[in-house]
Amino acid sequence: MARPREFDTDDAIRKATAVFWEKGYLDASLPDLLEGMGLTRGSLYKAFKDKKNLFLLVLAHYDDEAVGAARARLTNASVPDGRDRIVSLFAALYAAVAAGDTRGCLLCSAAAGFEMSDPDIAAAVEKGMSGIREGLEAALRASPVHAGLPEAEQRALANVLLTQYIGLRVLARSRMPLGIVEQSIESIARLLDVEST
């Protein structure tokens, strides 16, 4: 009879998320993961198979938690103007950086890393990015300034906003001056006030 697992899998994934978030996929060593998760080598391999599989589970968890929260903000019908939802997403990014959070975004960091050469990791990252892009498109459809735009223009603007979001989240890890984030978000707000022609 198999022995029951002596740790909570969800808790272990949360702890692994913290390790990968701090060190990145490539630089997170097995000893780092074992220490951060409080597991033995045998327990880690038995439960998660290998580092890559663990990272894929971490990305799925991050997609549920962080990307899910971003999408919820962007599709929040209690905020009727989609422009306000988008500005709120960027304002939350600013608030996190202002509070000293220099972790950036795990998904964005992975997107900028060498791990993207792995097709499974690349697919998981693209899934998360698509979730944010879809949220941005939904917000644009709910914006009086942008609702009447052709779908292709809405998608193009959503891609521009996604690029800005990823860039700012990656730059947050570099401990850039807070003023750069503030100026960028002000520029994004102005962009959203300009009706495309």
Side-chain angles (χ1 to χ4, degrees), residues 5-163:
R5 206 169 268 158
E6 297 175 1
F7 62 89
D8 180 84
T9 302
D10 290 337
D11 184 55
I13 290 172
R14 278 191 291 276
K15 289 175 178 175
T17 300
V19 175
F20 284 124
W21 211 337
E22 177 188 346
K23 296 186 174 285
Y25 175 69
L26 294 180
D27 289 337
S29 67
L30 182 59
D32 292 331
L33 290 164
L34 295 176
E35 180 181 344
M37 297 168 73
L39 298 180
T40 64
R41 183 183 301 255
S43 294
L44 187 144
Y45 283 123
K46 185 173 181 182
F48 303 109
K49 299 180 186 165
D50 57 26
K51 177 180 166 180
K52 174 184 163 181
N53 190 63
L54 175 60
F55 189 59
L56 289 171
L57 291 170
V58 162
L59 289 175
H61 167 76
Y62 191 83
D63 187 59
D64 289 342
E65 298 285 322
V67 175
R71 281 193 65 167
R73 183 183 295 270
L74 291 167
T75 59
N76 182 1
S78 70
V79 179
D81 189 336
R83 176 211 178 271
D84 294 339
R85 299 177 200 170
I86 295 168
V87 171
S88 170
L89 178 72
F90 283 93
L93 186 161
Y94 175 83
V97 175
D101 185 350
T102 58
R103 297 175 301 167
C105 165
L106 178 66
L107 192 67
C108 299
S109 296
F114 290 110
E115 55 268 34
M116 288 298 285
S117 61
D118 181 288
D120 297 325
I121 293 174
V125 169
E126 174 53 31
K127 179 181 181 288
M129 295 295 179
S130 293
I132 298 170
R133 184 187 306 109
E134 288 165 9
L136 289 165
E137 289 177 13
L140 289 170
R141 286 193 298 273
S143 165
V145 174
H146 304 97
L149 295 177
E151 188 176 316
E153 284 188 44
Q154 288 179 356
R155 187 173 299 115
L157 181 53
N159 285 331
V160 168
L161 293 167
L162 178 63
T163 301

